[in-house]
Amino acid sequence: GAGVSQSPSNKVTEKGKDVELRCDPISGHTALYWYRQSLGQGLEFLIYFQGNSAPDKSGLPSDRFSAERTGGSVSTLTIQRTQQEDSAVYLCASSYWGGVETQYFGPGTRLLVL
Amino acid sequence: DQQVKQNSPSLSVQEGRISILNCDYTNSMFDYFLWYKKYPAEGPTFLISISSIKDKNEDGRFTVFLNKSAKHLSLHIVPSQPGDSAVYFCAARSRRNTDKLIFGTGTRLQVFP
C-alpha cells in the first residue's frame, strides 16, 4: 500500500513568510510524528500525535511552530515568520499505536529560508 | 546536549569487508536502541534494534552489539555490499518516554567495489 507522503518536497521561502508543510500518514496509523534534520544534525523530535490524545509538543523549538492533525489523519506543520535557522529537512513518520520500531517515514520536505 | 552521538560522519569500506558503525549515548534511562538507514531523497527506514537486556542482536548480514557499561553500541554489516551505501542513524528510546526516539547525527557509509 501507499507509504507516508509529504508535500511539498521542496520549499523555498523568504525570511518572515509563513509556510505550511503537509503529511499524509499511512492509513490506519494512529501515531504521527514530526522531526526535522538541520545540516549536520540528527533528527530532532518536534511533535507527536497519538489518536485523540493531546499532542506532545515538547520538541517544538518556538511558538512560531505549530501543528495540527485533522480527523486523525492528515497533519500540517506550520512555521510562522520563518527564520533562516528554520532551514532543514522536515520529516513526518507514522506508526500503529506508537511502536517506535514501526515508524514509517515520509521522504521529507526540504525547506530553505532565504 | 547531544544524548546520542555518532562521532564518525563518514565511513568508506570495500565491498565484501566488514562495516562497523559506532554510536555512543549518555542517558542511562535509554532502554531500547534502533538503527535506521536512509537513502538520498527518502525517509529513514528501520533496520535493526536491540533491547538493553541483550548485548547482541543479529539479522542476516546485520548485527548490533550493545555495551551498557560503556554506553556504546555498534552496527556490523558483513559482508558489505554497494547497496548498503547510505546514511545510518542510531536512535534511542527512554524507558520514561517510550513513544519518542532520540537520534544521532548519522554516519554516511560508502561501500566501493
Side-chain angles (χ1 to χ4, degrees):
Chain A
V4 177
S5 61
Q6 292 185 246
S7 60
S9 54
N10 291 280
K11 176 72 177 178
V12 180
T13 190
E14 293 179 349
K15 178 182 172 181
K17 295 284 181 67
D18 297 351
V19 295
E20 284 190 354
L21 311 179
R22 177 187 168 108
C23 172
D24 286 84
I26 293 173
S27 178
H29 279 190
T30 60
L32 187 146
Y33 305 77
W34 282 99
Y35 296 87
R36 75 174 175 182
Q37 185 181 15
S38 304
L39 190 63
Q41 303 296 314
L43 277 68
E44 175 190 5
F45 166 81
L46 297 177
I47 188 169
Y48 163 55
F49 296 90
Q50 173 59 284
N52 295 320
S53 302
D56 178 350
K57 304 179 182 180
S58 60
L60 294 179
S62 77
D63 58 8
R64 296 186 295 105
F65 287 72
S66 63
E68 61 178 26
R69 189 177 185 192
T70 54
S73 180
V74 173
S75 177
T76 303
L77 177 69
T78 302
I79 309 173
Q80 296 178 307
R81 306 181 302 282
T82 52
Q83 304 293 313
Q84 288 182 332
E85 60 263 29
D86 299 335
S87 297
V89 177
Y90 289 82
L91 289 158
C92 173
S94 71
S95 72
Y96 187 67
W97 287 114
V100 289
E101 65 267 23
T102 58
Q103 283 190 29
Y104 293 87
F105 283 83
T109 292
R110 186 175 298 275
L111 174 66
L112 178 62
V113 182
L114 301 176
Chain B
D1 177 33
Q2 193 74 24
Q3 296 184 66
V4 178
K5 302 176 186 177
Q6 293 178 257
N7 293 317
S8 298
S10 64
L11 176 67
S12 189
V13 172
Q14 189 174 31
E15 181 178 7
R17 301 283 187 130
I18 184 171
S19 295
I20 300 177
L21 296 95
N22 294 304
C23 179
D24 296 290
Y25 62 96
T26 58
N27 191 339
S28 58
M29 297 302 292
F30 289 153
D31 68 345
Y32 198 74
F33 304 89
L34 306 90
W35 285 93
Y36 283 80
K37 177 179 180 179
K38 184 183 185 301
Y39 291 118
E42 296 182 12
T45 55
F46 168 72
L47 187 59
I48 192 169
S49 62
I50 188 167
S51 166
S52 60
I53 62 173
K54 294 187 175 182
D55 54 19
K56 177 183 174 181
N57 188 27
E58 188 173 353
D59 183 3
R61 298 186 297 113
F62 302 90
T63 303
V64 56
F65 295 92
L66 175 62
N67 182 334
K68 287 191 293 294
S69 61
K71 291 191 174 69
H72 176 84
L73 65 155
S74 60
L75 174 68
H76 293 211
I77 307 173
V78 183
S80 301
Q81 300 174 353
D84 296 329
S85 298
V87 177
Y88 290 78
F89 290 97
C90 171
R93 184 190 73 180
S94 170
R95 62 173 62 93
R96 286 185 171 170
N97 192 332
T98 58
D99 294 324
K100 276 197 230 182
L101 291 175
I102 309 297
F103 284 86
T105 53
T107 296
R108 183 177 302 277
L109 172 66
Q110 183 172 4
V111 180
F112 59 93

